[in-house]
């Protein structure tokens, strides 16, 4: 079976790419959001934010898991001439493709602080934690199966960040030594 060379990107790296920006922007927005008292007061704002943090983390971490599992089970072996994209390039592409969404989410979290202090920022940070938890879950699956999961770069969508979107028709797998990222998308040590 012969295939042309295609660029492949690690699925876990794409998922993990948004975790750090959402976490840090959420913490910054929550910290700034504590400065004004808001309509509800700081105590209610922080309690509401804690609940939103947990809900956002759980919702993001558990969303679309069945689609990930279905695509992973049906994955085919990567071709000999497929090109594996570096982790740093994947992260940079995701952040460039989502920079305006990150700015809008940060501004919305700051704007919500006038009503409920810190809640919007804590929800944003919770989404970041949810992405990190999903990447850890993917890493455990990769470690258990003994193979890394990849996706064609051109199937990521226009913003380079939809590893289970409609355009993702299938995954490819390689051995655990391939690429420059450990299982779960973290840097290799």
């Amino acid at each position: 079976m012969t295939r042309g060379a295609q660029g492949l990107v690690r699925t876990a790296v794409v998922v993990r790419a948004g975790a750090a920006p959402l976490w840090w922007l959420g913490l910054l927005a929550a910290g700034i959001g504590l400065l004004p008292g808001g309509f509800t007061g700081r105590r209610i704002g922080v309690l509401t934010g804690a609940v939103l943090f947990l809900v956002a983390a759980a919702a993001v971490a558990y969303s679309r898991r069945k689609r990930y599992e279905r695509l992973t089970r049906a994955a085919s072996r990567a071709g000999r001439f497929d090109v594996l994209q570096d982790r740093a390039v994947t992260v940079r592409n995701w952040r460039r493709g989502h920079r305006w969404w990150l700015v809008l989410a940060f501004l919305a979290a700051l704007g919500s602080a006038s009503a409920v202090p810190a809640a919007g920022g804590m929800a944003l940070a919770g989404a970041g934690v949810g992405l990190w938890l999903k990447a850890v879950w993917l890493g455990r699956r990769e470690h258990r199966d003994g193979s890394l999961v990849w996706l064609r770069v051109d199937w990521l969508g226009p913003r380079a960040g939809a590893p289970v979107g409609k355009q993702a028709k299938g995954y490819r797998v390689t051995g655990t030594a391939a690429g420059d990222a450990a299982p779960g998308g973290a840097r290799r040590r």
Side-chain angles (χ1 to χ4, degrees):
M1 183 172 178
T2 306
R3 288 190 191 126
Q6 297 171 338
L8 299 180
V9 62
R10 278 286 300 285
T11 305
V13 173
V14 175
V15 171
R16 191 182 182 112
L22 287 171
W23 168 256
W24 289 112
L25 288 174
L27 285 183
L28 182 63
I32 294 171
L34 281 175
L35 297 177
F39 295 129
T40 60
R42 286 187 186 95
R43 181 172 173 241
I44 291 176
V46 170
L47 291 174
T48 303
V51 170
L52 289 175
F53 178 89
L54 295 173
V55 168
V60 171
Y62 290 102
S63 67
R64 306 197 76 181
R65 280 198 177 187
K66 289 182 181 179
R67 175 108 167 115
Y68 281 101
E69 289 174 352
R70 187 170 57 247
L71 288 170
T72 302
R73 275 195 306 271
S76 62
R77 194 89 177 132
R80 178 181 299 233
F81 299 107
D82 287 340
V83 178
L84 307 179
Q85 190 175 83
D86 289 341
R87 180 187 185 281
V89 174
T90 304
V91 170
R92 185 179 64 233
N93 289 343
W94 189 96
R95 291 180 181 168
R96 280 184 184 165
H98 292 83
R99 65 181 170 251
W100 294 113
W101 290 106
L102 291 169
V103 168
L104 288 173
F106 177 71
L107 292 175
L110 281 180
S112 71
S114 63
V116 186
M122 291 175 79
L124 198 59
V129 169
L131 285 176
W132 181 78
L133 289 172
K134 185 179 287 188
V136 167
W137 171 74
L138 287 169
R140 286 187 182 143
R141 284 188 59 92
E142 288 176 333
H143 188 67
R144 185 190 70 211
D145 297 342
S147 60
L148 302 179
V149 180
W150 301 79
L151 173 69
R152 282 179 42 179
V153 174
D154 56 335
W155 287 351
L156 278 178
R159 290 190 303 278
V164 289
K166 291 179 184 177
Q167 70 278 1
K169 296 172 181 66
Y171 287 162
R172 306 266 176 90
V173 292
T174 62
T176 56
D180 65 341
R187 288 188 189 103
R188 283 203 192 270
R189 296 175 196 224

